[in-house]
Amino acid sequence: MQFKYFFALILSVVLFAPGLQASDKPLATQAAVDNGDGYASEEKTDRSARVPTFPLNDDLAGDLDVFTTAYEDTFAGIGSEQALGYLELVKANPGIDPWLPGEGTMITLPRMYVIPDVPREGIVINLAEYRLYYFTDSGVQVYPVGVGTEDNPSPLTHAEVTMPLESPAWYPPASVRAEYEASGQHLPRMIPAGPENPLGSHALLLSEKGYLIHGTNKKFGVGMAVSHGCFRMYNEDISRFVYQVEKGTSVRVIHEPVKVGVSGGEVWLEVHRPREDYTPEDREQLWRQVMMKVEAFQRKHPEVQVKRLAIEIAVDQADGIPTMIGEKLTQLATDEMSEAAETKTKPEQTLYF
């Protein structure tokens, strides 16, 4: 299983770089429909989002869901169908073989989120969780994204969308062609639009020079660290997403593996380990980050009371699923006063001997 995973991961890595050209036809006038891979046929476009728009409940959004697998299912295939990333499914379902979960296995679909601690506007990409948040008037949409590797990391930046692209051609720079040549592969100076293009069916050009949010011809890399810094979405998602996002939309890229928030008087913690494997070193680093984050949150919200055991469990799992770790003291005080009032109003019991 490990060899199969490693082999699939190597095949999924595509080197991205600037050098793009859009289709000759204007984006807004294209008449097409998604045919299953993000590419289009000559019919009317379905531009509705493929993911739900969740209302914000204070700092929380979404709900956990379950999925019952068929015999031939894999986490990679389920992720593509359900608009979820491979790693987020793996982390949310410990002990289940991602390549052979088996017939009738119930797996968790991790669609519950603590909202990142940044302005809730436009696009927010959190590298630590491989997710893109898109804030609308109705709430938030959440998409899985592939991001840069450790050697070629995605930039932490605050940029904006400058142009939507349909059927982009890829012009790999000399440095990328040299890497291919060194590995014995020939890379053309231009790869035209189509199923073999690593930029996929659509893209959003960003003001951060050389970077895009784009589709892919390698679905397995979505929701993982595999790119040369760009942000990779499923073609089925980006082919609709480009029609929702306006030029000038804010794009904020952050790295926030620990998120804390309040919802309805409850305190929630979400922790993301960096890889599929969870090393003691990763756990120790996350524990320090969690304690710093929780202490800062308590200084900002002195009415909050947290439970250390719940925090330890959240760090031990680091599965990217929100965990309730405490409540606001004001809420607790109100509950205690209500209980005391109920006790006083109850009549004394009469005992008969």
Side-chain angles (χ1 to χ4, degrees):
M1 190 271 288
Q2 290 182 345
F3 175 77
K4 183 176 182 181
Y5 167 78
F6 179 77
F7 181 71
L9 176 60
I10 292 298
L11 289 179
S12 73
V13 177
V14 177
L15 307 178
F16 297 108
L20 306 167
Q21 179 172 308
S23 167
D24 293 336
K25 291 186 285 187
L27 178 62
T29 63
Q30 298 302 301
V33 65
D34 185 352
N35 62 14
D37 60 1
Y39 290 91
S41 61
E42 297 299 325
E43 295 180 29
K44 187 177 180 180
T45 302
D46 179 3
R47 297 179 181 176
S48 60
R50 198 164 72 106
V51 300
T53 299
F54 294 113
L56 298 179
N57 185 9
D58 296 329
D59 299 327
L60 211 64
D63 296 290
L64 295 180
D65 202 354
V66 294
F67 179 88
T68 303
T69 62
Y71 177 76
E72 66 275 10
D73 281 333
T74 66
F75 279 15
I78 294 169
S80 176
E81 293 172 6
Q82 298 290 326
L84 292 166
Y86 173 79
L87 281 181
E88 64 179 329
L89 284 171
V90 170
K91 291 187 290 186
N93 294 277
I96 299 178
D97 186 343
W99 295 107
L100 190 62
E103 177 78 27
T105 301
M106 295 186 66
I107 66 170
T108 298
L109 301 182
R111 290 199 178 104
M112 184 179 183
Y113 318 97
V114 174
I115 302 301
D117 188 20
V118 293
R120 298 172 184 179
E121 59 184 20
I123 295 170
V124 174
I125 299 174
N126 188 0
L127 302 179
E129 54 182 318
Y130 309 108
R131 287 173 180 155
L132 180 153
Y133 293 82
Y134 177 55
F135 293 93
T136 72
D137 294 338
S138 303
V140 64
Q141 299 171 10
V142 186
Y143 297 89
V145 289
V147 304
T149 63
E150 290 185 2
D151 294 333
N152 298 280
S154 300
L156 299 176
T157 184
H158 186 193
E160 64 180 34
V161 173
T162 59
M163 183 186 301
L165 303 173
E166 183 180 272
S167 301
W170 183 39
Y171 294 81
S175 60
V176 175
R177 295 201 307 273
E179 290 184 28
Y180 271 71
E181 293 293 341
S183 64
Q185 303 178 66
H186 172 69
L187 187 64
R189 291 182 177 272
M190 188 274 286
I191 297 180
E196 300 304 316
N197 190 307
L199 299 184
S201 63
H202 295 75
L204 291 170
L205 188 64
L206 305 182
S207 60
E208 183 76 20
K209 186 176 180 181
Y211 293 93
L212 305 93
I213 301 170
H214 61 78
T216 179
N217 63 343
K218 302 291 184 182
K219 291 185 176 183
F220 183 67
V222 176
M224 302 173 67
V226 293
S227 80
H228 250 176
C230 286
F231 309 102
R232 186 184 302 185
M233 296 177 70
Y234 293 121
N235 284 335
E236 296 91 333
D237 291 335
I238 189 67
S239 62
R240 303 175 183 217
F241 190 54
V242 293
Y243 295 102
Q244 300 182 62
V245 180
E246 297 180 354
K247 179 180 178 181
T249 296
S250 168
V251 180
R252 195 182 303 266
V253 183
I254 63 174
H255 186 274
E256 193 174 301
V258 178
K259 301 183 294 180
V260 182
V262 174
S263 177
E266 300 169 339
V267 184
W268 293 80
L269 171 66
E270 183 177 326
V271 183
H272 291 265
R273 62 181 184 265
R275 288 167 284 274
E276 183 173 351
D277 295 330
Y278 195 21
T279 66
E281 293 78 14
D282 288 337
R283 187 197 180 283
E284 180 62 29
Q285 184 176 5
L286 275 176
W287 175 255
R288 290 195 297 267
Q289 291 176 310
V290 166
M291 295 312 298
M292 291 176 59
K293 194 90 171 187
V294 170
E295 289 171 2
F297 188 82
Q298 286 183 296
R299 287 193 297 270
K300 187 176 179 181
H301 303 274
E303 74 280 11
V304 160
Q305 183 180 65
V306 299
K307 300 176 182 177
R308 183 181 176 91
L309 179 59
I311 295 174
E312 290 178 350
I313 292 173
V315 175
D316 284 340
Q317 295 174 341
D319 54 11
I321 296 177
T323 300
M324 194 181 81
I325 61 168
E327 295 178 280
K328 286 186 176 181
L329 289 174
T330 51
Q331 182 69 34
L332 292 175
T334 301
D335 292 343
E336 290 172 358
M337 290 175 62
S338 298
E339 291 175 4
E342 290 177 5
T343 301
K344 289 182 180 179
T345 56
K346 289 181 180 179
E348 294 184 2
Q349 185 175 10
T350 303
L351 299 179
Y352 297 92
F353 295 93

